[in-house]
Amino acid sequence: MAQSKPDTTSYIQTLNIKTGKIDTILAIKKHFEAPNWHPDNYLVLNSKGKIFTLDLATKKMTELNTGFATACNNDHGISPDKKWLVISHNDRSDPSPKSYKSALYILPITGGEPRRITPEVPSFWHGWSPDGKTLAYCAERNGNFDVYTIGIEGGTEKRLTSTEGLDDGPDYTPDGKYIYFNSYRTGHMQIWRMLADGSQPEQMTFDANSNWFAHPSPNNKWIVYIAYTSDEKQSHLFGKNVKLCLMNPKSKAIKDITPVFYGGQGTINVPSWSPDSKKVAFVSYSVK
């Protein structure tokens, strides 16, 4: 969820992971979040409940038709075949007594009426299996946030984690073997991975940062994630000092790929790799 302020400027940027070069595609005095990168050279972002596309060549921003779903948060993404968009929309008509009622919906990538997938709320999308058949998401059930999966036709959800504390941000590797996620199970937010069925959880980062939202590259050679330089416990707030880090999943070597900047919630919540695995899109901010 965005904690946006009216005087926020969003810097929608791309980062070359090899050279470290950062290009600002657009600076806009509005709160935009969470870019996904489509092979047709545009980004998908959200702002104030709506979904937008940003053409990387012309820098033109266009609102996408999402039908009734006008309370979308920053947990959205593109299907492996690039034909569909998954969104997380706050369904205020859901009978649940919970205050925030995010559910997962699928609609055509070009826009259209969404189809609801998850029966229960709240649910926040984060990963799409490479075969296109399964969604992975963070959901609160019985007072604890865990990682779940569900088929794209809906049905019964499957719980993959059950530890105390938050498990969030599940994202598949392109070979479908692993799901990367962030977990507070040690009392400090770190990056983990598990097999796609939820078995064999393995801790991947061990530092003083609060690490969130690990995204495997399309070529399966890298993991990008966001690191809060302060211990944020189980929160991933907007307006904090953060940096992007790159991990080699084979050697587990990690390096910073940006300087520390002002961001956090909204910066890189969802997969944002370029199709060629050379760049990632992210958002940094300034507030007057």
Side-chain angles (χ1 to χ4, degrees), residues 7-14 22-35 43 45 54 238 261-263 266-267 281-288:
D7 49 1
T8 297
T9 299
S10 302
Y11 303 91
I12 301 166
Q13 299 175 301
T14 63
I22 294 173
D23 291 310
T24 300
I25 306 301
L26 190 66
I28 186 167
K29 286 189 175 174
K30 196 175 172 185
H31 197 95
F32 278 89
E33 299 183 302
L43 303 178
L45 304 105
L54 173 60
F238 168 74
F261 62 91
Y262 188 80
T267 289
F282 69 102
V283 188
S284 64
Y285 300 95
S286 65
V287 177
K288 284 185 179 174

PDB file of all heavy atoms in Angstrom, residues 7-14 22-35 43 45 54 238 261-263 266-267 281-288:
ATOM      1  N   ASP A   7       2.979  16.031  -2.294  1.00  0.00           N
ATOM      2  CA  ASP A   7       4.113  16.725  -2.897  1.00  0.00           C
ATOM      3  C   ASP A   7       5.250  15.766  -3.252  1.00  0.00           C
ATOM      4  O   ASP A   7       6.429  16.117  -3.199  1.00  0.00           O
ATOM      5  CB  ASP A   7       4.611  17.832  -1.962  1.00  0.00           C
ATOM      6  CG  ASP A   7       4.808  17.342  -0.529  1.00  0.00           C
ATOM      7  OD1 ASP A   7       4.572  16.142  -0.288  1.00  0.00           O
ATOM      8  OD2 ASP A   7       5.183  18.145   0.335  1.00  0.00           O
ATOM      9  N   THR A   8       4.886  14.562  -3.634  1.00  0.00           N
ATOM     10  CA  THR A   8       5.877  13.563  -4.032  1.00  0.00           C
ATOM     11  C   THR A   8       6.231  13.711  -5.513  1.00  0.00           C
ATOM     12  O   THR A   8       5.349  13.861  -6.353  1.00  0.00           O
ATOM     13  CB  THR A   8       5.339  12.142  -3.787  1.00  0.00           C
ATOM     14  OG1 THR A   8       5.116  11.956  -2.392  1.00  0.00           O
ATOM     15  CG2 THR A   8       6.305  11.072  -4.280  1.00  0.00           C
ATOM     16  N   THR A   9       7.517  13.645  -5.814  1.00  0.00           N
ATOM     17  CA  THR A   9       7.968  13.497  -7.196  1.00  0.00           C
ATOM     18  C   THR A   9       8.494  12.072  -7.373  1.00  0.00           C
ATOM     19  O   THR A   9       9.288  11.593  -6.559  1.00  0.00           O
ATOM     20  CB  THR A   9       9.081  14.507  -7.551  1.00  0.00           C
ATOM     21  OG1 THR A   9       8.566  15.824  -7.407  1.00  0.00           O
ATOM     22  CG2 THR A   9       9.563  14.308  -8.981  1.00  0.00           C
ATOM     23  N   SER A  10       8.010  11.398  -8.407  1.00  0.00           N
ATOM     24  CA  SER A  10       8.459  10.036  -8.725  1.00  0.00           C
ATOM     25  C   SER A  10       9.458  10.090  -9.876  1.00  0.00           C
ATOM     26  O   SER A  10       9.188  10.734 -10.899  1.00  0.00           O
ATOM     27  CB  SER A  10       7.267   9.168  -9.134  1.00  0.00           C
ATOM     28  OG  SER A  10       6.299   9.131  -8.114  1.00  0.00           O
ATOM     29  N   TYR A  11      10.581   9.424  -9.691  1.00  0.00           N
ATOM     30  CA  TYR A  11      11.599   9.306 -10.745  1.00  0.00           C
ATOM     31  C   TYR A  11      11.582   7.868 -11.240  1.00  0.00           C
ATOM     32  O   TYR A  11      12.040   6.955 -10.550  1.00  0.00           O
ATOM     33  CB  TYR A  11      12.981   9.678 -10.210  1.00  0.00           C
ATOM     34  CG  TYR A  11      13.037  11.067  -9.626  1.00  0.00           C
ATOM     35  CD1 TYR A  11      12.782  11.276  -8.273  1.00  0.00           C
ATOM     36  CD2 TYR A  11      13.309  12.169 -10.435  1.00  0.00           C
ATOM     37  CE1 TYR A  11      12.803  12.550  -7.725  1.00  0.00           C
ATOM     38  CE2 TYR A  11      13.336  13.454  -9.901  1.00  0.00           C
ATOM     39  CZ  TYR A  11      13.084  13.636  -8.541  1.00  0.00           C
ATOM     40  OH  TYR A  11      13.100  14.900  -8.005  1.00  0.00           O
ATOM     41  N   ILE A  12      10.983   7.672 -12.411  1.00  0.00           N
ATOM     42  CA  ILE A  12      10.893   6.330 -12.988  1.00  0.00           C
ATOM     43  C   ILE A  12      12.189   6.087 -13.755  1.00  0.00           C
ATOM     44  O   ILE A  12      12.499   6.819 -14.708  1.00  0.00           O
ATOM     45  CB  ILE A  12       9.655   6.215 -13.884  1.00  0.00           C
ATOM     46  CG1 ILE A  12       8.387   6.526 -13.053  1.00  0.00           C
ATOM     47  CG2 ILE A  12       9.558   4.813 -14.494  1.00  0.00           C
ATOM     48  CD1 ILE A  12       7.152   6.778 -13.883  1.00  0.00           C
ATOM     49  N   GLN A  13      12.954   5.085 -13.317  1.00  0.00           N
ATOM     50  CA  GLN A  13      14.331   4.942 -13.769  1.00  0.00           C
ATOM     51  C   GLN A  13      14.634   3.519 -14.235  1.00  0.00           C
ATOM     52  O   GLN A  13      13.954   2.568 -13.855  1.00  0.00           O
ATOM     53  CB  GLN A  13      15.284   5.334 -12.627  1.00  0.00           C
ATOM     54  CG  GLN A  13      15.086   6.780 -12.193  1.00  0.00           C
ATOM     55  CD  GLN A  13      15.918   7.181 -10.992  1.00  0.00           C
ATOM     56  OE1 GLN A  13      15.803   6.580  -9.923  1.00  0.00           O
ATOM     57  NE2 GLN A  13      16.738   8.205 -11.151  1.00  0.00           N
ATOM     58  N   THR A  14      15.669   3.409 -15.062  1.00  0.00           N
ATOM     59  CA  THR A  14      16.203   2.096 -15.427  1.00  0.00           C
ATOM     60  C   THR A  14      17.675   2.060 -15.053  1.00  0.00           C
ATOM     61  O   THR A  14      18.375   3.077 -15.072  1.00  0.00           O
ATOM     62  CB  THR A  14      16.041   1.795 -16.925  1.00  0.00           C
ATOM     63  OG1 THR A  14      16.789   2.749 -17.683  1.00  0.00           O
ATOM     64  CG2 THR A  14      14.579   1.832 -17.337  1.00  0.00           C
ATOM     65  N   ILE A  22      22.331   4.751 -14.483  1.00  0.00           N
ATOM     66  CA  ILE A  22      20.912   4.956 -14.200  1.00  0.00           C
ATOM     67  C   ILE A  22      20.366   6.002 -15.153  1.00  0.00           C
ATOM     68  O   ILE A  22      20.935   7.093 -15.271  1.00  0.00           O
ATOM     69  CB  ILE A  22      20.703   5.391 -12.739  1.00  0.00           C
ATOM     70  CG1 ILE A  22      21.103   4.261 -11.783  1.00  0.00           C
ATOM     71  CG2 ILE A  22      19.234   5.782 -12.507  1.00  0.00           C
ATOM     72  CD1 ILE A  22      21.096   4.657 -10.320  1.00  0.00           C
ATOM     73  N   ASP A  23      19.308   5.670 -15.868  1.00  0.00           N
ATOM     74  CA  ASP A  23      18.623   6.618 -16.754  1.00  0.00           C
ATOM     75  C   ASP A  23      17.265   6.945 -16.170  1.00  0.00           C
ATOM     76  O   ASP A  23      16.492   6.037 -15.821  1.00  0.00           O
ATOM     77  CB  ASP A  23      18.446   6.013 -18.157  1.00  0.00           C
ATOM     78  CG  ASP A  23      19.765   5.856 -18.892  1.00  0.00           C
ATOM     79  OD1 ASP A  23      20.528   6.831 -18.951  1.00  0.00           O
ATOM     80  OD2 ASP A  23      20.032   4.745 -19.398  1.00  0.00           O
ATOM     81  N   THR A  24      16.961   8.225 -16.065  1.00  0.00           N
ATOM     82  CA  THR A  24      15.635   8.641 -15.611  1.00  0.00           C
ATOM     83  C   THR A  24      14.728   8.763 -16.834  1.00  0.00           C
ATOM     84  O   THR A  24      14.935   9.623 -17.690  1.00  0.00           O
ATOM     85  CB  THR A  24      15.704   9.975 -14.859  1.00  0.00           C
ATOM     86  OG1 THR A  24      16.560   9.810 -13.713  1.00  0.00           O
ATOM     87  CG2 THR A  24      14.313  10.401 -14.387  1.00  0.00           C
ATOM     88  N   ILE A  25      13.759   7.864 -16.927  1.00  0.00           N
ATOM     89  CA  ILE A  25      12.827   7.852 -18.055  1.00  0.00           C
ATOM     90  C   ILE A  25      11.842   9.011 -17.926  1.00  0.00           C
ATOM     91  O   ILE A  25      11.526   9.696 -18.891  1.00  0.00           O
ATOM     92  CB  ILE A  25      12.060   6.514 -18.118  1.00  0.00           C
ATOM     93  CG1 ILE A  25      13.035   5.322 -18.135  1.00  0.00           C
ATOM     94  CG2 ILE A  25      11.129   6.469 -19.333  1.00  0.00           C
ATOM     95  CD1 ILE A  25      14.017   5.310 -19.271  1.00  0.00           C
ATOM     96  N   LEU A  26      11.364   9.214 -16.693  1.00  0.00           N
ATOM     97  CA  LEU A  26      10.364  10.246 -16.470  1.00  0.00           C
ATOM     98  C   LEU A  26      10.420  10.696 -15.019  1.00  0.00           C
ATOM     99  O   LEU A  26      10.499   9.874 -14.112  1.00  0.00           O
ATOM    100  CB  LEU A  26       8.963   9.700 -16.783  1.00  0.00           C
ATOM    101  CG  LEU A  26       7.811  10.692 -16.826  1.00  0.00           C
ATOM    102  CD1 LEU A  26       7.985  11.667 -17.997  1.00  0.00           C
ATOM    103  CD2 LEU A  26       6.478   9.958 -16.973  1.00  0.00           C
ATOM    104  N   ALA A  27      10.419  12.002 -14.802  1.00  0.00           N
ATOM    105  CA  ALA A  27      10.231  12.579 -13.468  1.00  0.00           C
ATOM    106  C   ALA A  27       8.863  13.248 -13.468  1.00  0.00           C
ATOM    107  O   ALA A  27       8.577  14.077 -14.331  1.00  0.00           O
ATOM    108  CB  ALA A  27      11.328  13.586 -13.156  1.00  0.00           C
ATOM    109  N   ILE A  28       8.019  12.858 -12.545  1.00  0.00           N
ATOM    110  CA  ILE A  28       6.633  13.318 -12.578  1.00  0.00           C
ATOM    111  C   ILE A  28       6.146  13.614 -11.163  1.00  0.00           C
ATOM    112  O   ILE A  28       6.426  12.858 -10.225  1.00  0.00           O
ATOM    113  CB  ILE A  28       5.735  12.266 -13.297  1.00  0.00           C
ATOM    114  CG1 ILE A  28       4.323  12.770 -13.476  1.00  0.00           C
ATOM    115  CG2 ILE A  28       5.775  10.911 -12.603  1.00  0.00           C
ATOM    116  CD1 ILE A  28       3.492  11.910 -14.442  1.00  0.00           C
ATOM    117  N   LYS A  29       5.433  14.721 -11.011  1.00  0.00           N
ATOM    118  CA  LYS A  29       4.967  15.133  -9.685  1.00  0.00           C
ATOM    119  C   LYS A  29       3.665  14.409  -9.340  1.00  0.00           C
ATOM    120  O   LYS A  29       2.591  15.006  -9.270  1.00  0.00           O
ATOM    121  CB  LYS A  29       4.795  16.652  -9.631  1.00  0.00           C
ATOM    122  CG  LYS A  29       6.129  17.375  -9.575  1.00  0.00           C
ATOM    123  CD  LYS A  29       5.986  18.849  -9.296  1.00  0.00           C
ATOM    124  CE  LYS A  29       7.361  19.496  -9.124  1.00  0.00           C
ATOM    125  NZ  LYS A  29       7.297  20.948  -8.982  1.00  0.00           N
ATOM    126  N   LYS A  30       3.792  13.126  -9.194  1.00  0.00           N
ATOM    127  CA  LYS A  30       2.675  12.264  -8.839  1.00  0.00           C
ATOM    128  C   LYS A  30       3.299  10.985  -8.301  1.00  0.00           C
ATOM    129  O   LYS A  30       4.448  10.666  -8.623  1.00  0.00           O
ATOM    130  CB  LYS A  30       1.821  11.978 -10.079  1.00  0.00           C
ATOM    131  CG  LYS A  30       0.443  11.413  -9.793  1.00  0.00           C
ATOM    132  CD  LYS A  30      -0.363  11.274 -11.087  1.00  0.00           C
ATOM    133  CE  LYS A  30      -1.661  10.520 -10.843  1.00  0.00           C
ATOM    134  NZ  LYS A  30      -2.394  10.278 -12.085  1.00  0.00           N
ATOM    135  N   HIS A  31       2.557  10.248  -7.485  1.00  0.00           N
ATOM    136  CA  HIS A  31       3.124   9.064  -6.849  1.00  0.00           C
ATOM    137  C   HIS A  31       2.900   7.825  -7.728  1.00  0.00           C
ATOM    138  O   HIS A  31       1.803   7.291  -7.798  1.00  0.00           O
ATOM    139  CB  HIS A  31       2.483   8.852  -5.477  1.00  0.00           C
ATOM    140  CG  HIS A  31       3.249   7.925  -4.597  1.00  0.00           C
ATOM    141  ND1 HIS A  31       4.163   8.368  -3.677  1.00  0.00           N
ATOM    142  CD2 HIS A  31       3.270   6.574  -4.518  1.00  0.00           C
ATOM    143  CE1 HIS A  31       4.704   7.332  -3.056  1.00  0.00           C
ATOM    144  NE2 HIS A  31       4.182   6.224  -3.543  1.00  0.00           N
ATOM    145  N   PHE A  32       3.947   7.394  -8.420  1.00  0.00           N
ATOM    146  CA  PHE A  32       3.896   6.172  -9.235  1.00  0.00           C
ATOM    147  C   PHE A  32       4.715   5.074  -8.562  1.00  0.00           C
ATOM    148  O   PHE A  32       5.668   5.361  -7.834  1.00  0.00           O
ATOM    149  CB  PHE A  32       4.431   6.434 -10.650  1.00  0.00           C
ATOM    150  CG  PHE A  32       3.412   7.045 -11.563  1.00  0.00           C
ATOM    151  CD1 PHE A  32       3.264   8.425 -11.642  1.00  0.00           C
ATOM    152  CD2 PHE A  32       2.579   6.245 -12.329  1.00  0.00           C
ATOM    153  CE1 PHE A  32       2.315   8.992 -12.469  1.00  0.00           C
ATOM    154  CE2 PHE A  32       1.625   6.800 -13.161  1.00  0.00           C
ATOM    155  CZ  PHE A  32       1.491   8.181 -13.237  1.00  0.00           C
ATOM    156  N   GLU A  33       4.329   3.829  -8.834  1.00  0.00           N
ATOM    157  CA  GLU A  33       4.974   2.711  -8.150  1.00  0.00           C
ATOM    158  C   GLU A  33       5.161   1.513  -9.068  1.00  0.00           C
ATOM    159  O   GLU A  33       4.409   1.303 -10.025  1.00  0.00           O
ATOM    160  CB  GLU A  33       4.102   2.241  -6.964  1.00  0.00           C
ATOM    161  CG  GLU A  33       3.865   3.288  -5.901  1.00  0.00           C
ATOM    162  CD  GLU A  33       3.063   2.716  -4.743  1.00  0.00           C
ATOM    163  OE1 GLU A  33       1.942   2.233  -4.963  1.00  0.00           O
ATOM    164  OE2 GLU A  33       3.578   2.749  -3.618  1.00  0.00           O
ATOM    165  N   ALA A  34       6.154   0.708  -8.719  1.00  0.00           N
ATOM    166  CA  ALA A  34       6.250  -0.709  -9.086  1.00  0.00           C
ATOM    167  C   ALA A  34       6.221  -1.001 -10.583  1.00  0.00           C
ATOM    168  O   ALA A  34       5.263  -1.580 -11.092  1.00  0.00           O
ATOM    169  CB  ALA A  34       5.139  -1.497  -8.383  1.00  0.00           C
ATOM    170  N   PRO A  35       7.261  -0.629 -11.328  1.00  0.00           N
ATOM    171  CA  PRO A  35       7.262  -0.900 -12.763  1.00  0.00           C
ATOM    172  C   PRO A  35       7.451  -2.382 -13.095  1.00  0.00           C
ATOM    173  O   PRO A  35       8.296  -3.054 -12.519  1.00  0.00           O
ATOM    174  CB  PRO A  35       8.451  -0.078 -13.270  1.00  0.00           C
ATOM    175  CG  PRO A  35       9.345   0.093 -12.084  1.00  0.00           C
ATOM    176  CD  PRO A  35       8.450   0.124 -10.889  1.00  0.00           C
ATOM    177  N   LEU A  43       6.585   0.164 -19.774  1.00  0.00           N
ATOM    178  CA  LEU A  43       6.468  -0.233 -18.381  1.00  0.00           C
ATOM    179  C   LEU A  43       5.003  -0.191 -17.958  1.00  0.00           C
ATOM    180  O   LEU A  43       4.226   0.628 -18.448  1.00  0.00           O
ATOM    181  CB  LEU A  43       7.267   0.706 -17.474  1.00  0.00           C
ATOM    182  CG  LEU A  43       8.759   0.860 -17.756  1.00  0.00           C
ATOM    183  CD1 LEU A  43       9.378   1.868 -16.777  1.00  0.00           C
ATOM    184  CD2 LEU A  43       9.495  -0.472 -17.687  1.00  0.00           C
ATOM    185  N   LEU A  45       2.815   0.489 -14.543  1.00  0.00           N
ATOM    186  CA  LEU A  45       2.941   1.054 -13.204  1.00  0.00           C
ATOM    187  C   LEU A  45       1.559   1.316 -12.617  1.00  0.00           C
ATOM    188  O   LEU A  45       0.553   1.239 -13.330  1.00  0.00           O
ATOM    189  CB  LEU A  45       3.712   2.383 -13.226  1.00  0.00           C
ATOM    190  CG  LEU A  45       5.101   2.390 -13.833  1.00  0.00           C
ATOM    191  CD1 LEU A  45       5.081   3.048 -15.207  1.00  0.00           C
ATOM    192  CD2 LEU A  45       6.085   3.134 -12.932  1.00  0.00           C
ATOM    193  N   LEU A  54       3.799   3.169 -19.562  1.00  0.00           N
ATOM    194  CA  LEU A  54       4.748   4.226 -19.915  1.00  0.00           C
ATOM    195  C   LEU A  54       5.609   3.728 -21.071  1.00  0.00           C
ATOM    196  O   LEU A  54       6.392   2.787 -20.903  1.00  0.00           O
ATOM    197  CB  LEU A  54       5.620   4.587 -18.718  1.00  0.00           C
ATOM    198  CG  LEU A  54       6.767   5.568 -18.968  1.00  0.00           C
ATOM    199  CD1 LEU A  54       6.256   6.904 -19.481  1.00  0.00           C
ATOM    200  CD2 LEU A  54       7.601   5.759 -17.702  1.00  0.00           C
ATOM    201  N   PHE A 238       7.335   3.546   2.743  1.00  0.00           N
ATOM    202  CA  PHE A 238       7.763   4.539   1.766  1.00  0.00           C
ATOM    203  C   PHE A 238       8.617   5.593   2.469  1.00  0.00           C
ATOM    204  O   PHE A 238       8.402   5.906   3.640  1.00  0.00           O
ATOM    205  CB  PHE A 238       6.534   5.206   1.147  1.00  0.00           C
ATOM    206  CG  PHE A 238       6.843   6.434   0.343  1.00  0.00           C
ATOM    207  CD1 PHE A 238       7.423   6.323  -0.912  1.00  0.00           C
ATOM    208  CD2 PHE A 238       6.577   7.695   0.836  1.00  0.00           C
ATOM    209  CE1 PHE A 238       7.713   7.451  -1.666  1.00  0.00           C
ATOM    210  CE2 PHE A 238       6.852   8.830   0.093  1.00  0.00           C
ATOM    211  CZ  PHE A 238       7.430   8.714  -1.154  1.00  0.00           C
ATOM    212  N   PHE A 261      19.406   5.606  -1.913  1.00  0.00           N
ATOM    213  CA  PHE A 261      18.478   6.641  -2.392  1.00  0.00           C
ATOM    214  C   PHE A 261      17.204   6.615  -1.555  1.00  0.00           C
ATOM    215  O   PHE A 261      17.024   5.746  -0.698  1.00  0.00           O
ATOM    216  CB  PHE A 261      18.178   6.474  -3.886  1.00  0.00           C
ATOM    217  CG  PHE A 261      17.511   5.168  -4.265  1.00  0.00           C
ATOM    218  CD1 PHE A 261      16.133   5.048  -4.300  1.00  0.00           C
ATOM    219  CD2 PHE A 261      18.278   4.047  -4.602  1.00  0.00           C
ATOM    220  CE1 PHE A 261      15.521   3.846  -4.654  1.00  0.00           C
ATOM    221  CE2 PHE A 261      17.671   2.841  -4.957  1.00  0.00           C
ATOM    222  CZ  PHE A 261      16.287   2.751  -4.978  1.00  0.00           C
ATOM    223  N   TYR A 262      16.310   7.583  -1.813  1.00  0.00           N
ATOM    224  CA  TYR A 262      15.071   7.744  -1.063  1.00  0.00           C
ATOM    225  C   TYR A 262      13.977   6.945  -1.777  1.00  0.00           C
ATOM    226  O   TYR A 262      13.627   7.237  -2.914  1.00  0.00           O
ATOM    227  CB  TYR A 262      14.717   9.231  -1.015  1.00  0.00           C
ATOM    228  CG  TYR A 262      13.564   9.611  -0.125  1.00  0.00           C
ATOM    229  CD1 TYR A 262      13.732   9.751   1.245  1.00  0.00           C
ATOM    230  CD2 TYR A 262      12.306   9.887  -0.661  1.00  0.00           C
ATOM    231  CE1 TYR A 262      12.685  10.139   2.066  1.00  0.00           C
ATOM    232  CE2 TYR A 262      11.246  10.279   0.145  1.00  0.00           C
ATOM    233  CZ  TYR A 262      11.447  10.404   1.513  1.00  0.00           C
ATOM    234  OH  TYR A 262      10.405  10.789   2.314  1.00  0.00           O
ATOM    235  N   GLY A 263      13.485   5.920  -1.122  1.00  0.00           N
ATOM    236  CA  GLY A 263      12.496   5.061  -1.764  1.00  0.00           C
ATOM    237  C   GLY A 263      11.901   4.095  -0.772  1.00  0.00           C
ATOM    238  O   GLY A 263      11.616   4.439   0.363  1.00  0.00           O
ATOM    239  N   GLY A 266       7.005   0.826  -3.180  1.00  0.00           N
ATOM    240  CA  GLY A 266       6.791   1.386  -4.500  1.00  0.00           C
ATOM    241  C   GLY A 266       8.000   1.352  -5.412  1.00  0.00           C
ATOM    242  O   GLY A 266       7.874   1.515  -6.621  1.00  0.00           O
ATOM    243  N   THR A 267       9.194   1.134  -4.847  1.00  0.00           N
ATOM    244  CA  THR A 267      10.416   1.180  -5.662  1.00  0.00           C
ATOM    245  C   THR A 267      10.521  -0.011  -6.602  1.00  0.00           C
ATOM    246  O   THR A 267      10.738   0.141  -7.810  1.00  0.00           O
ATOM    247  CB  THR A 267      11.659   1.246  -4.746  1.00  0.00           C
ATOM    248  OG1 THR A 267      11.708   2.538  -4.123  1.00  0.00           O
ATOM    249  CG2 THR A 267      12.944   1.053  -5.531  1.00  0.00           C
ATOM    250  N   ALA A 281      13.987  -1.838 -13.956  1.00  0.00           N
ATOM    251  CA  ALA A 281      13.281  -0.569 -13.770  1.00  0.00           C
ATOM    252  C   ALA A 281      12.931  -0.424 -12.294  1.00  0.00           C
ATOM    253  O   ALA A 281      12.645  -1.408 -11.610  1.00  0.00           O
ATOM    254  CB  ALA A 281      12.025  -0.537 -14.628  1.00  0.00           C
ATOM    255  N   PHE A 282      12.991   0.817 -11.811  1.00  0.00           N
ATOM    256  CA  PHE A 282      12.624   1.061 -10.409  1.00  0.00           C
ATOM    257  C   PHE A 282      12.171   2.511 -10.283  1.00  0.00           C
ATOM    258  O   PHE A 282      12.262   3.303 -11.214  1.00  0.00           O
ATOM    259  CB  PHE A 282      13.801   0.755  -9.484  1.00  0.00           C
ATOM    260  CG  PHE A 282      14.972   1.698  -9.588  1.00  0.00           C
ATOM    261  CD1 PHE A 282      15.178   2.690  -8.636  1.00  0.00           C
ATOM    262  CD2 PHE A 282      15.894   1.586 -10.634  1.00  0.00           C
ATOM    263  CE1 PHE A 282      16.263   3.557  -8.729  1.00  0.00           C
ATOM    264  CE2 PHE A 282      16.980   2.450 -10.722  1.00  0.00           C
ATOM    265  CZ  PHE A 282      17.157   3.447  -9.770  1.00  0.00           C
ATOM    266  N   VAL A 283      11.637   2.845  -9.103  1.00  0.00           N
ATOM    267  CA  VAL A 283      11.203   4.211  -8.857  1.00  0.00           C
ATOM    268  C   VAL A 283      11.908   4.730  -7.595  1.00  0.00           C
ATOM    269  O   VAL A 283      11.928   4.055  -6.557  1.00  0.00           O
ATOM    270  CB  VAL A 283       9.674   4.305  -8.660  1.00  0.00           C
ATOM    271  CG1 VAL A 283       9.232   5.782  -8.594  1.00  0.00           C
ATOM    272  CG2 VAL A 283       8.925   3.586  -9.783  1.00  0.00           C
ATOM    273  N   SER A 284      12.514   5.908  -7.723  1.00  0.00           N
ATOM    274  CA  SER A 284      12.984   6.631  -6.548  1.00  0.00           C
ATOM    275  C   SER A 284      12.124   7.871  -6.395  1.00  0.00           C
ATOM    276  O   SER A 284      11.345   8.226  -7.289  1.00  0.00           O
ATOM    277  CB  SER A 284      14.464   6.983  -6.687  1.00  0.00           C
ATOM    278  OG  SER A 284      14.675   7.882  -7.763  1.00  0.00           O
ATOM    279  N   TYR A 285      12.240   8.535  -5.250  1.00  0.00           N
ATOM    280  CA  TYR A 285      11.290   9.601  -4.923  1.00  0.00           C
ATOM    281  C   TYR A 285      12.003  10.799  -4.297  1.00  0.00           C
ATOM    282  O   TYR A 285      13.099  10.672  -3.746  1.00  0.00           O
ATOM    283  CB  TYR A 285      10.244   9.086  -3.924  1.00  0.00           C
ATOM    284  CG  TYR A 285       9.433   7.924  -4.437  1.00  0.00           C
ATOM    285  CD1 TYR A 285       9.803   6.614  -4.145  1.00  0.00           C
ATOM    286  CD2 TYR A 285       8.291   8.114  -5.212  1.00  0.00           C
ATOM    287  CE1 TYR A 285       9.066   5.537  -4.618  1.00  0.00           C
ATOM    288  CE2 TYR A 285       7.553   7.050  -5.679  1.00  0.00           C
ATOM    289  CZ  TYR A 285       7.942   5.758  -5.387  1.00  0.00           C
ATOM    290  OH  TYR A 285       7.211   4.701  -5.845  1.00  0.00           O
ATOM    291  N   SER A 286      11.331  11.928  -4.358  1.00  0.00           N
ATOM    292  CA  SER A 286      11.674  13.055  -3.492  1.00  0.00           C
ATOM    293  C   SER A 286      10.369  13.654  -2.988  1.00  0.00           C
ATOM    294  O   SER A 286       9.356  13.618  -3.677  1.00  0.00           O
ATOM    295  CB  SER A 286      12.502  14.094  -4.227  1.00  0.00           C
ATOM    296  OG  SER A 286      11.760  14.691  -5.275  1.00  0.00           O
ATOM    297  N   VAL A 287      10.396  14.163  -1.764  1.00  0.00           N
ATOM    298  CA  VAL A 287       9.220  14.793  -1.162  1.00  0.00           C
ATOM    299  C   VAL A 287       9.653  16.155  -0.643  1.00  0.00           C
ATOM    300  O   VAL A 287      10.632  16.258   0.084  1.00  0.00           O
ATOM    301  CB  VAL A 287       8.641  13.934  -0.008  1.00  0.00           C
ATOM    302  CG1 VAL A 287       7.461  14.645   0.636  1.00  0.00           C
ATOM    303  CG2 VAL A 287       8.222  12.571  -0.529  1.00  0.00           C
ATOM    304  N   LYS A 288       8.921  17.185  -1.029  1.00  0.00           N
ATOM    305  CA  LYS A 288       9.258  18.542  -0.579  1.00  0.00           C
ATOM    306  C   LYS A 288       8.883  18.724   0.879  1.00  0.00           C
ATOM    307  O   LYS A 288       7.906  18.167   1.335  1.00  0.00           O
ATOM    308  CB  LYS A 288       8.538  19.579  -1.462  1.00  0.00           C
ATOM    309  CG  LYS A 288       9.191  19.743  -2.807  1.00  0.00           C
ATOM    310  CD  LYS A 288       8.518  20.851  -3.589  1.00  0.00           C
ATOM    311  CE  LYS A 288       9.186  21.035  -4.950  1.00  0.00           C
ATOM    312  NZ  LYS A 288       8.468  21.991  -5.789  1.00  0.00           N
TER     313      LYS A 288
END
